[in-house]
């Protein structure tokens, strides 16, 4: 994803990142950073991290976007 974001940024596309609350390469490329707190959790080696906060932010962003169209 970093390669695709770099290409888009070089073409002048505004980048919005939505990442875990930490310093990361995707957030460094973005002009607007949104963060969600979601600590990693594993049970029996399966990723069971709760991504509810991420889904709420994505839903609100998409609702706002579609209201502008």
């Amino acid at each position: 994803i970093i390669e695709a974001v770099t290409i888009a940024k070089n073409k002048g596309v505004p980048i919005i990142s939505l990442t875990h609350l930490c310093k990361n390469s995707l957030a460094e490329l973005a002009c607007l950073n949104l963060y969600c707190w979601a600590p990693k959790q594993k049970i029996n080696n399966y990723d069971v991290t709760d991504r509810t906060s991420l889904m709420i932010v994505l839903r609100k962003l998409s609702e706002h976007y579609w209201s502008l169209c």
Side-chain angles (χ1 to χ4, degrees), residues 29-67:
L29 290 170
C31 57
L32 176 63
N33 297 302
L34 302 175
Y35 297 100
C36 287
W37 184 72
K40 288 190 177 189
Q41 296 179 338
K42 288 197 173 204
I43 297 175
N44 294 330
N45 230 11
Y46 290 100
D47 184 356
V48 294
T49 303
D50 184 3
R51 292 178 174 82
T52 304
S53 60
L54 173 73
M55 294 298 131
I56 291 169
V57 172
L58 286 174
R59 173 145 184 188
K60 287 299 182 185
L61 284 172
S62 65
E63 287 174 357
H64 180 72
Y65 174 80
W66 290 113
S67 73

Side-chain angles (χ1 to χ4, degrees), residues 12-40:
V13 176
I15 306 299
I16 301 172
S17 70
L18 177 56
T19 63
H20 186 68
L21 186 57
C22 65
K23 186 174 180 172
N24 61 75
S25 52
L26 180 58
E28 289 176 5
L29 290 170
C31 57
L32 176 63
N33 297 302
L34 302 175
Y35 297 100
C36 287
W37 184 72
K40 288 190 177 189

